[in-house]
Amino acid sequence: LRQQLGREYRIALSLMTRAHAHLAFGEPHRARSLAERALGICEGLQTQRGIAQASLVLGRSLRHIGALWASGVYEPAASRKLFGEAKRNLERAIAIYKDQVARPVRLIEAHNEMGCTYREWSALDRSASPESTTARGRSGSASRASSTRATPGSMPTRATPKSASASPARIPRSRA
């Protein structure tokens, strides 16, 4: 409908929304394509808010694609390139939100996404040097994530090591 009406900015917003949906469903390649199209439209319209948002979505898509190195989809060199592209897009979004478009929540979102990009990038670099004693591997992160469980009626707790004698504290949920 927006295409029939010729509302280019609204079309870009729809493309970004679809890109978010594809990311949520684990389809970062489709999200990238949509984000690139949205960015092209916003650049053509010279709308800074749209450029920033599309750059943020594109950066997130590139990070998700780059993270596929862990499952063997991409070689480390290709993932490093993707992380570099993600960083450039996120830097662009941050600069726009910081200096031209007053959207504090989006600025925080862009900084958070930059942190996620660096986290994935450093995990890739750590995997190349397993002898590093200062870094935890991805398997360590996965085991920490799986040790945190929520049970009905309680807050999530971290599982204690087998050598610990005390059981984890549980905070009962109030019933009001």
Side-chain angles (χ1 to χ4, degrees), residues 33-90:
S33 174
L34 294 168
E36 286 173 339
R37 286 177 48 199
L39 182 58
I41 291 170
C42 292
E43 286 173 338
L45 296 172
Q46 298 179 346
T47 173
Q48 295 304 304
R49 184 175 177 179
I51 291 170
Q53 185 61 26
S55 295
L56 177 56
V57 176
L58 181 55
R60 180 175 290 146
S61 301
L62 291 164
R63 174 181 64 87
H64 281 265
I65 295 169
L68 294 173
W69 68 268
S71 57
V73 175
Y74 286 97
E75 293 294 321
S79 286
R80 283 186 187 91
K81 184 177 178 184
L82 288 162
F83 291 141
E85 289 179 46
K87 179 183 174 215
R88 282 187 294 281
N89 280 282
L90 295 169

Side-chain angles (χ1 to χ4, degrees), residues 1 3 11-12 16 35 51 53-54 64 67-68 73 79 88 100 109 113-114 141 161 169 176:
L1 182 63
Q3 287 177 332
I11 291 168
M16 287 184 256
I51 291 170
Q53 185 61 26
H64 281 265
L68 294 173
V73 175
S79 286
R88 282 187 294 281
Q100 299 173 26
E109 184 181 359
E113 189 59 39
M114 183 69 82
S141 299

Side-chain angles (χ1 to χ4, degrees), residues 153-165:
S154 71
M155 298 292 292
T157 59
R158 181 173 295 270
T160 57
K162 291 184 180 182
S163 61
S165 60

